[in-house]
Amino acid sequence: MNLIECWIEYPTYFLDQTYSYISDDDSIVPGVRVAIEFNHKELIGFVDSVTKYNSKEEIESIKGFACKPILRRIDDEPYLTDELIDLAKWMAFETISPTISCFKTMLPSKLKPSSNNQKILLEKWVEATDVEVSLTPKQLIAYSEIVENGRMRYTELRKKYPSFAKVLVDKGALRLVEEEKKAKQITDIEIKNAFALTDCQQEAIDKIRNSDKNTVLLHGITGSGKTEIYLQLTSEIIENGRQVLILVPEISLTPQMVNRVQSRFGDAVAIYHSGLNDQEKYEQYQRVKLGEVSVVVGTRSSIFMPFESLGLIILDEEHDSSYKQDNTPQYHCRDIAIHRAEYFGCKVLLGSATPSLDSYARALRGVYDLVELKQRINETLPTIHCVNLKDAIKKGQSYIVSDRLKERISNCLQYGKQAILLLNRRGYNTSLRCNACGEVLYCPHCDVALSYHASDRSLKCHTCGTTIRQVSECPKCHSHSGFSAFGFGTQKLEEEILKLYPHARVLRMDADTTSKKNSHETYLEVFANKQADILIGTQMIAKGLDYPDVTLVGVLNADAGLNRIDYRSTEVSFDLIVQASGRSGRSEHQGEVILQVFDDNHYTIQTAIRQDYVSFFNQEMQFRKAGGYPPYTYMIAILVQDRDNDKVKTWARKIKQNLQGDFKILGPSELLKMKDLYRMRLLLKGRNSQELKAEVSRVVKECVKERGCPTIKVDVNPMILD
C-alpha cells in the first residue's frame, strides 16, 4: 500500500500543504495528476511524494487517522521533470505564493492540475493493411500512395480522394489509427548560412564563451548585431547535443526571432507564446518533452519548458517588464533562468541596449560578467532631434504632429523609405470632460478615466475592459451640453497622418488591432514586405524589430511616462526612447529620429538623445540611492483588496502591526479602485531579502487562516508601483 501526498488544486495560502491519500496503484509517481475526494468534492490532486508501506493499517497507525483512497490516476506519466518539481517549490518560497499555483503556471492549460475537463485532441491516421481486397484502378493509386509513404492523415486522404477514402477503410485495405494530435512539421524552410562576424562580435562571443560567470550581461547598442551572436552561440551548443532557450519579452517580437532561428536550424525549433491556443501549446510542450527539438523560442512562460539537457538560456531585451508576471506567482523570468541554469550547469545570457539598472549594477559589482558591443554593424547611429512641443504650439503648430516631423515624414515618403511613429497610448482620446460641470467620465468599476475609441464610437476602460457606448448625458449633472475631448491616442494619430498624407499606406499596431490570432505576424510581414509606408503603434513596435528601409522614427509625447509616480518611470521612459530610436537607420541608409516632448531639459531626454546609457545609469542611481530604492534595497509589496473598503483598511493596518523585523514599512497607501475592488498597499524595504520574505510569508499565512480575510497579494521586488 502506498501513502500518496498531494497538493490540492485550489491556489490559496489556506490550503498550501500536502494532503494524505492511499493507493495500491504502483504506477502513481510524483508529478502525475490524480482524482481525489476533498471536502466531499471530487478534485484534482498533484502528487508530491509516494511512500510504500506494508499495509493500510500501518499507514493509519503512522498518520493517526484513516486516509481516503485515490479515486483514479489521470496521467500515465509525469509531465514535470524532477527538476521542475523542485523549481516550483523554490519558486513558491521566493515569490511567497501557494505551491500549487507554481505548478499550474509551469504547465500548459490542458495539463494543469485543475478540474477544467480539457481534452487532448486526437487525430485519425490511415495505414495500409495486408488484407487482400479488390480495388479499382483509382483506389489502387490511393492505396499505393499510402503504402509508399507509410501512413497519411485521414483528413488528408478524404480531401485528396473524397469519393472513395471511406470505401478503402470499409473494405479493410486501410485501417484507422487514433493518436494524439501533434504539431505539423515545417518542411519548406530555406536554411541560411551564418553571417561573418565583425571583430567586435567575435570578441564578444569569445568573452561570453570563456566567462567563468554563470550569468553574462551583453550590453550592445541597437543594431550592433546581438541576434547573430545569439544564433552562433546557439549553433555551438546544439552541435554539442544540448538545448537552447531563447526568450523574447513580447509576442510581437516572436515572429521575427522565430524566422531567424528557423532559417538557421530548420524544424528543430519549438515556439511557445500566448498567441497559441491551448492545443497548440500542448503540442509544442510535448515536442520539448519528447526531445524532438533543440531550440525553443518563446515569451515568458516558455521558461518552464521540460528540458532534459539545457545548454544556454538567452533573454533578449532583458530589461523589459514583460518578463515579470503580474499575477500570482509574480515571478521574474530572469530569476527562474538563473536558477535553472545552476541546475543544468549552463550560462544565462542577458542581452539589451538598455539593460535594467539592477542587471547593470550587478555586472559592475562582478556578480555578472559584462560584455559590451559599442558599435553598430553599419557603424552609424541615427541622428536624433528634439522638438519642444510647448514652443511648437506657441508658434501655431499641431500638438500631434509638429512641423519638423511633418517635413521629415514627407521626405521619407518622397524617397520611398519607411517610417515608424510610436505613441504609447491607444484609443482616440484619452478622456472626455463634461462641458457644463467639468466632470471627467470615469469607468464605473475603476478609478480610471474612460478613453474614447472612434472606430466603434465607444468609451473603454483600459484597465478592466469595460465598454460603454458613447453617452449623451453627463452622469453627474445630467446636462446634454456635450463633452470636450482631451489627449490623443493611436487612432487619432492614424487619422491625422491619413489626412496629411492621403496616398500613404498606413498600418496601426496596438492592442485594438492585434487581438486576433497571428495578427502581430501578419502586420509585421506586411510592413517587412514594404506593403506599408508608415507603421503607427504603441510600445509593442518600439524594440527588437529590424527593417532596413526604416529611416525615420517619430516618438510622440516621448516624455509622457515621466509623469508617472512609479520609481522606475525614468528608466522605462529612457528604455522606450532609446529602443524606438534604434529601429531607424539599421542598413546603409542614414537614420533619423524625432522626439516630441514638453520638457527637453530633463536628464532622461538629454541622455536618450545622446544614446548615453552610462550617463543615465550614473545619474539615476544617485536618485535610487537617495530614495532607498533597488538595487540599493530589496522591496516587497503587499496588496490588500476587497469590495468592502473598510475591511481593506482594517486588514492593511492589521498586517502592518503584525510585521516585525529590521526593515522599513511604507503605508498602507490607498490605491485606485480597480474592477470594483478597493485596494491598499504596504511597501517593505530592507537589506536582507531572506528576512523580508520569511516575515511576510509568516504574517500572510497567519492572516489567511482567519475568517473574513480579504484577498492578499504579494509581489517580491515589484517592477511597477502604480
Side-chain angles (χ1 to χ4, degrees):
M1 185 61 68
N2 297 315
L3 173 64
I4 315 288
E5 295 291 339
C6 293
W7 300 96
I8 306 302
E9 66 174 88
Y10 294 137
T12 66
Y13 290 111
F14 186 66
L15 299 175
D16 191 28
Q17 65 181 67
T18 58
Y19 292 84
S20 302
Y21 291 83
I22 55 172
S23 175
D24 57 5
D25 183 352
D26 291 333
S27 66
I28 295 177
V29 295
V32 300
R33 295 173 298 171
V34 290
I36 55 176
E37 184 187 341
F38 186 85
N39 196 26
H40 309 295
K41 292 181 182 178
E42 182 176 318
L43 299 178
I44 304 300
F46 190 81
V47 176
D48 181 72
S49 66
V50 179
T51 308
K52 197 166 188 64
Y53 288 92
N54 293 321
S55 65
K56 175 182 175 182
E57 290 72 26
E58 183 184 3
I59 293 174
E60 288 182 5
S61 66
I62 291 171
K63 299 296 290 186
F65 55 85
C67 298
K68 293 180 181 179
I70 297 286
L71 300 180
R72 65 184 180 280
R73 173 175 51 83
I74 295 173
D75 301 321
D76 292 330
E77 59 180 356
Y79 285 97
L80 291 180
T81 62
D82 291 342
E83 178 255 336
L84 285 173
I85 292 173
D86 290 340
L87 176 67
K89 295 175 183 178
W90 172 84
M91 192 165 76
F93 172 78
E94 292 295 319
T95 61
I96 314 178
S97 308
T99 307
I100 193 67
S101 69
C102 298
F103 288 127
K104 287 187 174 188
T105 296
M106 290 180 167
L107 289 161
S109 293
K110 288 184 179 279
L111 299 177
K112 290 184 189 296
S114 307
S115 302
N116 56 12
N117 297 316
Q118 287 207 26
K119 298 285 190 291
I120 307 299
L121 295 184
L122 301 176
E123 61 180 354
K124 293 178 180 178
W125 290 75
V126 286
E127 298 174 346
T129 68
D130 296 329
V131 178
E132 291 187 11
V133 294
S134 175
L135 300 176
T136 67
K138 287 185 177 179
Q139 291 171 350
L140 188 60
I141 291 172
Y143 177 80
S144 301
E145 184 179 343
I146 291 168
V147 170
E148 183 180 343
N149 294 322
R151 59 197 315 219
M152 181 185 288
R153 285 186 174 87
Y154 188 44
T155 53
E156 190 178 336
L157 178 70
R158 293 180 65 179
K159 187 176 180 181
K160 206 167 187 178
Y161 306 102
S163 59
F164 51 81
K166 188 174 183 297
V167 175
L168 290 171
V169 175
D170 292 342
K171 281 186 173 184
L174 302 177
R175 63 168 167 265
L176 283 174
V177 180
E178 274 197 332
E179 293 181 357
E180 276 190 11
K181 188 173 182 294
K182 293 185 177 180
K184 289 185 178 179
Q185 286 192 315
I186 304 172
T187 55
D188 57 345
I189 301 171
E190 181 186 351
I191 304 299
K192 298 178 181 177
N193 295 324
F195 290 100
L197 296 175
T198 64
D199 292 341
C200 292
Q201 286 176 309
Q202 187 60 58
E203 185 181 346
I205 281 187
D206 292 340
K207 285 182 179 177
I208 295 166
R209 190 188 295 123
N210 298 323
S211 172
D212 59 355
K213 296 282 196 306
N214 289 334
T215 305
V216 179
L217 175 62
L218 177 60
H219 177 206
I221 64 172
T222 56
S224 58
K226 294 186 290 295
T227 302
E228 186 60 29
I229 288 176
Y230 301 157
L231 295 177
Q232 297 212 14
L233 287 171
T234 297
S235 180
E236 291 178 14
I237 297 297
I238 63 177
E239 282 175 9
N240 291 323
R242 302 187 73 181
Q243 299 160 301
V244 176
L245 170 61
I246 302 175
L247 291 155
V248 292
E250 297 220 27
I251 187 174
S252 61
L253 297 180
T254 311
Q256 194 167 71
M257 183 64 81
V258 167
N259 290 338
R260 289 179 176 179
V261 175
Q262 285 183 333
S263 69
R264 201 67 63 86
F265 306 111
D267 190 48
V269 180
I271 305 153
Y272 200 82
H273 55 73
S274 60
L276 304 179
N277 62 37
D278 290 342
Q279 177 64 26
E280 289 169 333
K281 286 181 180 177
Y282 171 76
E283 292 167 9
Q284 295 296 325
Y285 190 89
Q286 283 291 80
R287 291 186 74 199
V288 179
K289 186 175 184 294
L290 298 172
E292 296 175 357
V293 298
S294 302
V295 185
V296 174
V297 178
T299 49
R300 185 178 60 229
S301 55
S302 58
I303 190 64
F304 299 115
M305 282 292 191
F307 296 102
E308 287 292 341
S309 181
L310 196 52
L312 177 65
I313 304 175
I314 297 168
L315 269 79
D316 189 30
E317 312 293 358
E318 72 87 27
H319 64 277
D320 200 282
S321 60
S322 299
Y323 282 126
K324 178 74 182 277
Q325 173 140 309
D326 57 6
N327 50 34
T328 305
Q330 297 192 56
Y331 67 90
H332 196 295
C333 226
R334 180 181 58 230
D335 300 331
I336 306 299
I338 291 171
H339 191 78
R340 294 198 76 180
E342 288 176 2
Y343 175 86
F344 285 103
C346 69
K347 282 187 171 66
V348 175
L349 180 59
L350 309 174
S352 178
T354 55
S356 68
L357 269 63
D358 291 25
S359 292
Y360 198 73
R362 288 191 184 110
L364 293 182
R365 291 201 310 268
V367 179
Y368 304 161
D369 247 356
L370 178 62
V371 177
E372 296 181 296
L373 286 170
K374 298 181 179 181
Q375 193 171 8
R376 265 192 166 192
I377 295 295
N378 68 359
E379 301 183 354
T380 308
L381 281 167
T383 56
I384 302 179
H385 303 285
C386 193
V387 175
N388 187 309
L389 281 177
K390 288 187 290 188
D391 295 339
I393 292 169
K394 285 177 184 177
K395 295 175 183 176
Q397 297 180 27
S398 167
Y399 70 96
I400 298 177
V401 185
S402 65
D403 287 357
R404 180 156 197 168
L405 183 55
K406 287 178 189 175
E407 185 263 324
R408 299 319 297 161
I409 293 173
S410 297
N411 183 265
C412 182
L413 296 174
Q414 181 183 343
Y415 287 97
K417 301 304 177 186
Q418 293 174 294
I420 291 177
L421 301 180
L422 169 69
L423 174 62
N424 202 21
R425 187 71 189 234
R426 64 187 175 102
Y428 192 84
N429 297 116
T430 55
S431 63
L432 295 182
R433 188 186 298 272
C434 174
N435 290 330
C437 69
E439 177 76 2
V440 173
L441 294 182
Y442 276 85
C443 172
H445 308 291
C446 309
D447 292 334
V448 176
L450 291 164
S451 296
Y452 176 59
H453 288 242
S455 57
D456 56 1
R457 298 179 61 81
S458 67
L459 294 166
K460 294 183 181 180
C461 175
H462 291 174
T463 298
C464 70
T466 294
T467 300
I468 301 171
R469 294 302 157 195
Q470 192 174 359
V471 294
S472 58
E473 179 182 287
C474 174
K476 183 179 181 182
C477 70
H478 307 293
S479 165
H480 290 81
S481 58
F483 299 90
S484 296
F486 293 87
F488 67 98
T490 48
Q491 282 187 11
K492 189 171 179 63
L493 174 60
E494 179 186 30
E495 180 183 273
E496 188 76 9
I497 291 297
L498 286 170
K499 283 180 185 176
L500 292 169
Y501 312 100
H503 301 297
R505 298 166 299 173
V506 180
L507 277 181
R508 175 165 60 87
M509 276 187 72
D510 53 31
D512 299 316
T513 63
T514 58
S515 57
K516 292 182 180 178
K517 186 178 175 65
N518 298 326
S519 53
H520 291 88
E521 186 172 359
T522 301
Y523 276 99
L524 294 175
E525 190 174 321
V526 167
F527 195 64
N529 292 335
K530 292 203 69 176
Q531 295 170 304
D533 306 304
I534 301 173
L535 176 63
I536 295 171
T538 53
Q539 51 84 29
M540 67 174 65
I541 66 168
K543 49 189 172 288
L545 303 180
D546 187 355
Y547 299 111
D549 282 304
V550 172
T551 58
L552 175 67
V553 167
V555 186
L556 289 77
N557 287 354
D559 56 347
L562 298 174
N563 297 321
R564 292 177 56 235
I565 58 172
D566 181 24
Y567 79 100
R568 293 184 66 251
S569 62
T570 52
E571 181 181 357
V572 172
S573 297
F574 178 85
D575 293 348
L576 191 67
I577 295 169
V578 172
Q579 292 287 341
S581 301
R583 302 315 104 212
S584 180
R586 295 176 71 93
S587 63
E588 68 273 12
H589 308 294
Q590 176 62 44
E592 186 176 11
V593 180
I594 305 294
L595 305 181
Q596 294 190 169
V597 300
F598 284 93
D599 181 8
D600 53 4
N601 291 318
H602 197 285
Y603 70 92
T604 301
I605 304 301
Q606 287 299 315
T607 51
I609 290 171
R610 301 195 306 270
Q611 306 272 293
D612 188 351
Y613 174 84
V614 174
S615 292
F616 172 77
F617 173 85
N618 290 332
Q619 191 149 358
E620 180 62 17
M621 287 291 277
Q622 293 177 27
F623 291 109
R624 296 282 181 96
K625 187 175 184 179
Y629 285 105
Y632 292 99
T633 59
Y634 296 101
M635 291 199 310
I636 295 181
I638 303 174
L639 182 69
V640 184
Q641 61 183 30
D642 196 88
R643 290 177 179 267
D644 184 336
N645 196 18
D646 291 334
K647 181 193 282 190
V648 170
K649 291 177 179 178
T650 299
W651 278 86
R653 288 192 293 265
K654 184 175 182 178
I655 291 171
K656 182 174 182 177
Q657 290 168 0
N658 290 343
L659 289 166
Q660 297 177 357
D662 184 21
F663 45 80
K664 184 184 292 185
I665 305 175
L666 303 180
S669 305
E670 193 165 354
L671 305 180
L672 298 177
K673 183 180 72 173
M674 287 190 179
K675 301 179 182 178
D676 291 321
L677 295 173
Y678 295 95
R679 307 182 304 147
M680 295 199 81
R681 181 182 64 215
L682 291 160
L683 188 63
L684 283 63
K685 293 181 180 181
R687 299 267 183 185
N688 188 327
S689 65
Q690 297 305 306
E691 179 197 13
L692 277 171
K693 284 181 275 200
E695 180 61 9
V696 171
S697 179
R698 178 190 70 80
V699 171
V700 170
K701 287 180 179 178
E702 285 178 1
C703 287
V704 297
K705 292 176 183 176
E706 297 186 37
R707 181 180 291 273
C709 179
T711 300
I712 300 173
K713 293 186 175 183
V714 179
D715 188 358
V716 178
N717 298 322
M719 292 194 74
I720 298 174
L721 295 175
D722 54 1

